[in-house]
Amino acid sequence: MSKLQLVKSGTPQPRPNGAEPEFLKGLNPAQYKAATTIAGPVLIVAGAGSGKTRVLTYRIAYLLSQGVSPHNILALTFTNKAAAEMKERIAKIAGEGAGHRVWAGTFHSVFARVLRSEAEHLGYTKSFTIYDADDALSLIRNIMASMGISQQQFTPQSIRSGISWAKNQMMSPHEYALSANTLPEKQTGAIYHEYEKRLRANNAMDFDDLLLNMIRVLKNQPEVLKKYQELFKYILVDEYQDTNRAQYVAIQLLASGHKNLCVVGDDAQSIYRWRGADIRNILDFQRDYPNAEVVRLEQNYRSTKNILAAADAVIKNNQGQIKKTLWTENAEGDKITVLGCPSDREEAEAIVTVLKRQMREKDFDPKDFAIIYRTNAQSQQIEDSLRRANVPYTIVSGVSFYKRKEVKDTLAYLRLAVNPTDSESLLRIVNEPARALGKTSIQAIQLYAQENNIPLFEAFKNATKISTIQKRAQISSVQFSQLIEKFTLLKDEIPPAEFAVQYIEATGLLRMYKEQETEDALDRWNNIQRLLSHIAEYSARTENPTLEEYLEQIALISDLDITDTTKDHVSLMTLHAAKGLEFPVVFIAGLEQGLFPLGKAENDNEEKEEERRLFYVGITRAREKLFLTYAERRYRFGELSYSRPSEFLEEIDSTVLEYEGAFGMPAAAPQRRTGFQSPGFATGNNTFKNANNEVFKNFQSGGFKSNSAPASRPAFKSSQPRQPFYNDIQKQEYHSQIPVNTGALKVGVRVKHQMFGEGRVEAINGEGTQKRALVAFQSVGRKHLMLQYAKLEVIG
């Protein structure tokens, strides 16, 4: 059999001396099969902590050892950091040259590279700008202002989310507008149309466009499709469970030539449904590729047996999953500790107390701990407690260096030199520093550009022809355009690092901050200098560096790419931000019904399964010790809420759990539910019972406010028709002036609420329009409701 036949058959190619590549020897049988089955479609189901990254790296190294050119291998990841680590590992095994010639990167970075070459097929130039989320949001705000749409009634963030959802579903503005039913969706459709128009005019693409335009060029240009099918003979996709529809289609197009497609993922860690990820992509892989080889990586190398048992017990409750059983040869380890606390403040104090005890008794450092929570709002109490205890901490996925105003301004200047038609970048920096160009003058120049159908930059160049603006503004506009034009011409004449320094100094940005002589201004000046140094570092390590390539790399940086968990700080993060990380000790806070899982999951099984997968991800971040915490009462949305422990706690085998009170005292487990109960607790010192008695005293004396906590707006769902925005529902529920018949309401009856579901009335207080009820709901615990607005339906 020839070498080529061996490669196509998937048979490992022996070396001349008959020995297999040395690096394969450390793999377990399943990993070995995953690394060496290289022909045809392959699905690698990689459980948490099963050595997925190692297998991906060795699979690529094995392909290279079989004579496959690195240029013919495409490895798609979800972070630039993961791609860089993969390249480094490959380089150590297969050599520096081979490792760095593999096409490894995120979907967006790889597709941006392809689109630079094929831009003309789509009506773009190769110098197109890539808009990140902030840039897209700025453009949407400008469009809303120009269209007279209230940004209080319809938030730019929700509009951006709707447009992104539509693009991930591959819906054009016209298709979206036809499907719009509610007023917010109709407004989104109108803005979407104008948004696309302005992106084109600016020679710009947003993140979603990088996927959509890749599909368009492959579908509409057969010669381009053939070119890249021949180039990418072997395709690997990491985190396949997180792919959306557009990514799925692009992969299918590229892989339909040689069909050597290997996808790696874990359906149990699919947690991005809210941003378009479609778990069906991995669940239906064998349907899409009937001849696919399926390899299960089930041996976990990260966690103890007890932690793994908890994760396995929880995830087995999901119906939509690929069956697998994780196991480990690690030690049994400590039991999982459940901390029951009277309030969210005491929960935070308990976490810090236990954390310091672990540091003292087990010799852990701050960097060994992660505190994970479902919503960002939960961090406030925890941060306060850590500060009071002088424990250093860092918020993972906080404000990125590249999102700071002065850095964004500097990048906007650089982008404008590369792409003068980028009007969003122009508008961002036209008065940074101030140039005597007021709002009225800028609006007049924009109007001139629209009326003459020319780019905004051209209108600034011709400002002397605009009679409606003052002479001073005309001169300032022309001088500004001349500055940009001068450096646009210089861009290709001098190296990027030298160009950036000369250009940014000429803009006056550095001088502006230096002259302000404040500590904040000095920080901003230093941040610009840091950015200029970064461009110099990029130029030093890159062959044939260009400003376009540098700006592309910066635009595609994600929060995970800049996450640094090596500093000696406790890491605080949401469960979504925790994916891909691991720590010796993990706290998961807020395990209460209505918070985790969120209330919207109560009557939506798909939402509940996603919440359960999120819990699974959180559990499997822990290597040695796991703490699960809940609070009996917590301030949410400005009101005090009472909850029962999360149903997810009941899914864990009690033999791997131990219970502890808020201040280190032993406690009993919460009562396991048998049908509907009042959301009370059975704790070691009856704290919640006493709290409940106090609640009734306060409630009956009129001491509680009676606002229901508003639900968060749901993300668009890829597998269901789009739902109305929650703000419409809230408007109907909380602001309707139609009174309801409350005569049948009395303590003890069962009622139904449109948002919170079924519950039992526990107290009634007040008269007339001020009449209110305390209701214990199955989904979200106790709520205080004004009967005038709540529209409760008596059901028994």
Side-chain angles (χ1 to χ4, degrees):
M1 186 180 289
S2 69
K3 183 176 183 179
L4 180 60
Q5 288 173 317
L6 283 168
V7 171
K8 286 189 173 180
S9 70
T11 306
Q13 171 69 26
R15 289 185 171 183
N17 61 6
E20 280 191 339
E22 192 70 23
F23 57 81
L24 294 176
K25 291 184 177 179
L27 301 179
N28 68 38
Q31 291 174 332
Y32 177 90
K33 184 177 181 182
T36 59
T37 305
I38 58 177
V42 179
L43 168 62
I44 301 175
V45 184
S50 62
K52 168 179 68 73
T53 304
R54 186 185 192 199
V55 168
L56 270 175
T57 303
Y58 283 17
R59 182 180 175 87
I60 294 172
Y62 184 75
L63 283 167
L64 294 170
S65 76
Q66 303 309 296
V68 176
S69 168
H71 293 296
N72 295 139
I73 300 172
L74 170 63
L76 295 168
T77 66
F78 271 79
T79 67
N80 294 294
K81 184 177 180 181
E85 288 175 357
M86 185 184 296
K87 284 186 174 185
E88 290 300 324
R89 291 192 187 194
I90 295 166
K92 288 179 181 178
I93 299 171
E96 194 76 24
H100 290 281
R101 288 200 302 272
V102 170
W103 282 68
T106 64
F107 282 88
H108 295 95
S109 63
V110 169
F111 290 179
R113 182 177 168 186
V114 170
L115 290 172
R116 293 283 177 206
S117 299
E118 312 299 338
E120 292 182 2
H121 290 296
L122 295 160
Y124 290 84
T125 72
K126 67 178 182 179
S127 61
F128 65 81
T129 300
I130 299 173
Y131 281 3
D132 64 16
D134 289 341
D135 301 322
L137 209 54
S138 174
L139 178 56
I140 286 169
R141 288 192 183 100
N142 289 335
I143 292 170
M144 293 178 75
S146 68
M147 295 175 71
I149 298 174
S150 169
Q151 294 186 28
Q152 282 70 48
Q153 186 178 6
F154 308 103
T155 67
Q157 290 85 352
S158 66
I159 299 295
R160 169 73 187 124
S161 177
I163 292 173
S164 181
W165 178 89
K167 288 190 175 188
N168 286 331
Q169 301 307 306
M170 301 174 62
M171 294 177 70
S172 68
H174 178 69
E175 291 169 330
Y176 184 93
L178 288 177
S179 69
N181 295 313
T182 66
L183 179 58
E185 289 175 352
K186 290 175 181 177
Q187 293 285 37
T188 299
I191 294 167
Y192 183 12
H193 178 80
E194 181 64 19
Y195 177 76
E196 287 297 280
K197 183 179 173 182
R198 294 201 189 184
L199 281 176
R200 283 278 180 173
N202 292 350
N203 191 34
M205 300 183 196
D206 65 16
F207 275 18
D208 298 316
D209 287 331
L210 296 176
L211 304 179
L212 283 182
N213 286 330
M214 182 71 175
I215 292 169
R216 286 176 182 137
V217 78
L218 294 177
K219 279 190 170 183
N220 298 333
Q221 304 293 330
E223 72 284 358
V224 174
L225 175 61
K226 186 176 180 181
K227 171 183 172 181
Y228 289 100
Q229 284 177 341
E230 283 300 312
L231 178 63
F232 303 136
K233 291 183 171 67
Y234 293 88
I235 301 175
L236 298 88
V237 184
D238 192 14
E239 306 286 6
Y240 190 64
Q241 77 280 350
D242 292 333
T243 53
N244 59 32
R245 174 163 175 74
Q247 289 162 333
Y248 168 84
V249 171
I251 292 164
Q252 279 204 323
L253 286 166
L254 290 171
S256 61
H258 292 276
K259 293 186 173 57
N260 293 322
L261 171 64
C262 173
V263 302
V264 186
D266 182 5
D267 57 291
Q269 296 186 67
S270 180
I271 59 172
Y272 295 114
R273 180 169 175 253
W274 53 275
R275 71 180 188 195
D278 193 340
I279 194 173
R280 293 173 301 181
N281 292 352
I282 191 168
L283 295 180
D284 295 344
F285 187 80
Q286 290 174 273
R287 182 205 65 188
D288 295 336
Y289 302 93
N291 299 321
E293 184 81 40
V294 180
V295 184
R296 288 175 171 80
L297 304 182
E298 298 173 306
Q299 182 175 0
N300 177 283
Y301 293 90
R302 177 188 301 158
S303 306
T304 64
K305 284 185 172 69
N306 280 333
I307 291 171
L308 211 57
D312 207 40
V314 166
I315 203 63
K316 284 190 183 304
N317 288 278
N318 273 8
Q319 298 299 310
Q321 63 173 299
I322 300 171
K323 297 296 181 183
K324 58 184 174 299
T325 301
L326 294 183
W327 61 277
T328 184
E329 293 180 347
N330 293 341
E332 184 173 315
D334 293 340
K335 287 189 175 184
I336 296 162
T337 301
V338 181
L339 296 173
C341 307
S343 70
D344 52 348
R345 179 184 173 88
E346 289 161 299
E347 177 192 43
E349 294 291 348
I351 288 172
V352 176
T353 298
V354 171
L355 185 151
K356 292 186 75 174
R357 186 178 73 205
Q358 289 277 312
M359 290 173 61
R360 185 173 61 251
E361 296 177 357
K362 302 291 182 67
D363 202 29
F364 285 120
D365 295 319
K367 69 175 183 295
D368 296 324
F369 295 89
I371 304 173
I372 309 175
Y373 33 80
R374 181 63 183 87
T375 65
N376 279 303
Q378 291 170 253
S379 76
Q380 184 259 325
Q381 290 282 14
I382 298 169
E383 288 186 68
D384 286 349
S385 293
L386 288 166
R387 279 196 296 267
R388 284 193 293 268
N390 293 315
V391 176
Y393 70 89
T394 185
I395 303 287
V396 174
S397 294
V399 177
S400 160
F401 171 78
Y402 299 101
K403 294 185 184 298
R404 294 171 184 170
K405 180 187 181 302
E406 64 278 10
V407 175
K408 293 281 287 184
D409 290 345
T410 305
L411 291 170
Y413 268 113
L414 297 172
R415 283 168 25 169
L416 195 58
V418 169
N419 177 19
T421 60
D422 182 1
S423 61
E424 285 305 304
S425 291
L426 188 157
L427 290 170
R428 181 181 182 93
I429 47 81
V430 67
N431 271 319
E432 295 289 341
R435 291 189 172 86
L437 286 167
K439 184 177 179 181
T440 302
S441 297
I442 292 174
Q443 287 176 341
I445 297 171
Q446 287 178 292
L447 181 61
Y448 180 84
Q450 292 169 11
E451 289 176 345
N452 291 274
N453 196 28
I454 58 174
L456 186 59
F457 183 73
E458 291 296 316
F460 271 86
K461 287 171 62 176
N462 290 284
T464 54
K465 298 178 182 178
I466 306 173
S467 59
T468 54
I469 63 175
Q470 295 179 352
K471 187 72 173 177
R472 185 183 176 195
Q474 290 178 345
I475 295 170
S476 184
S477 299
V478 172
Q479 289 176 340
F480 169 72
S481 64
Q482 288 174 341
L483 169 72
I484 305 301
E485 205 163 36
K486 171 187 174 182
F487 281 94
T488 299
L489 294 173
L490 276 175
K491 176 178 64 70
D492 297 324
E493 302 297 324
I494 55 180
E498 184 182 340
F499 169 83
V501 170
Q502 290 186 24
Y503 179 30
I504 298 307
E505 284 182 348
T507 65
L509 202 57
L510 286 164
R511 184 173 62 254
M512 176 185 74
Y513 287 122
K514 194 170 185 179
E515 289 174 351
Q516 288 176 10
E517 295 183 341
T518 65
E519 189 172 336
D520 177 68
L522 178 61
D523 284 343
R524 293 178 186 274
W525 185 88
N526 281 324
N527 285 336
I528 295 174
Q529 295 290 3
R530 272 185 64 194
L531 182 67
L532 295 175
S533 297
H534 190 252
I535 297 172
E537 291 168 12
Y538 153 80
S539 298
R541 68 172 185 266
T542 305
E543 187 178 348
N544 300 321
T546 66
L547 190 59
E548 289 88 342
E549 184 182 51
Y550 175 80
L551 291 172
E552 181 179 300
Q553 289 182 10
I554 297 304
L556 296 172
I557 286 175
S558 71
D559 288 340
L560 286 177
D561 292 322
I562 57 172
T563 297
D564 183 4
T565 57
T566 61
K567 293 181 180 178
D568 201 16
H569 292 71
V570 174
S571 294
L572 273 61
M573 69 196 80
T574 64
L575 282 143
H576 284 100
K579 188 167 179 288
L581 304 176
E582 59 181 78
F583 300 86
V585 185
V586 169
F587 293 82
I588 303 179
L591 273 157
E592 299 134 35
Q593 203 66 16
L595 177 58
F596 193 25
L598 292 176
K600 65 181 180 180
E602 184 67 21
N603 299 310
D604 186 331
N605 193 55
E606 286 189 24
E607 289 284 356
K608 183 175 289 187
E609 295 211 346
E610 175 117 342
E611 292 284 298
R612 190 177 282 114
R613 291 193 293 269
L614 200 53
F615 188 34
Y616 172 89
V617 166
I619 292 172
T620 54
R621 298 313 93 195
R623 294 205 297 261
E624 300 175 35
K625 180 64 181 177
L626 175 65
F627 294 89
L628 306 175
T629 74
Y630 61 81
E632 298 163 355
R633 58 187 184 270
R634 177 185 303 274
Y635 274 95
R636 295 187 69 201
F637 308 107
E639 74 162 25
L640 190 62
S641 297
Y642 292 81
S643 300
R644 55 181 164 81
S646 170
E647 63 187 276
F648 292 159
L649 284 171
E650 299 180 15
E651 297 174 354
I652 302 175
D653 191 324
S654 59
T655 61
V656 303
L657 298 177
E658 61 181 8
Y659 296 86
E660 189 174 300
F663 303 103
M665 300 298 291
Q671 292 177 344
R672 301 238 164 186
R673 289 176 294 158
T674 54
F676 176 74
Q677 300 176 15
S678 158
F681 289 70
T683 55
N685 55 8
N686 289 324
T687 303
F688 193 49
K689 181 179 178 182
N690 295 334
N692 280 342
N693 290 338
E694 194 64 31
V695 169
F696 285 115
K697 289 176 188 175
N698 288 337
F699 185 81
Q700 289 164 356
S701 64
F704 274 84
K705 292 184 178 180
S706 52
N707 290 325
S708 282
S712 59
R713 179 178 298 157
F716 285 118
K717 303 173 185 178
S718 60
S719 58
Q720 297 181 357
R722 282 178 289 124
Q723 303 296 318
F725 283 95
Y726 262 112
N727 61 353
D728 287 344
I729 297 173
Q730 289 168 2
K731 181 185 286 187
Q732 295 166 14
E733 288 196 307
Y734 299 116
H735 303 295
S736 168
Q737 296 303 310
I738 303 173
V740 294
N741 181 6
T742 61
L745 279 178
K746 58 184 179 181
V747 174
V749 301
R750 291 171 57 77
V751 293
K752 186 175 182 180
H753 185 274
Q754 184 177 353
M755 184 178 295
F756 303 133
E758 295 182 9
R760 189 184 301 278
V761 178
E762 296 191 340
I764 297 177
N765 180 266
E767 297 293 337
T769 59
Q770 297 302 308
K771 199 168 187 178
R772 52 189 180 265
L774 173 66
V775 183
F777 290 102
Q778 291 174 300
S779 60
V780 294
R782 283 185 171 83
K783 291 290 178 185
H784 315 288
L785 304 176
M786 292 287 284
L787 297 184
Q788 180 181 9
Y789 306 127
K791 299 182 180 178
L792 295 173
E793 176 188 350
V794 177
I795 59 175

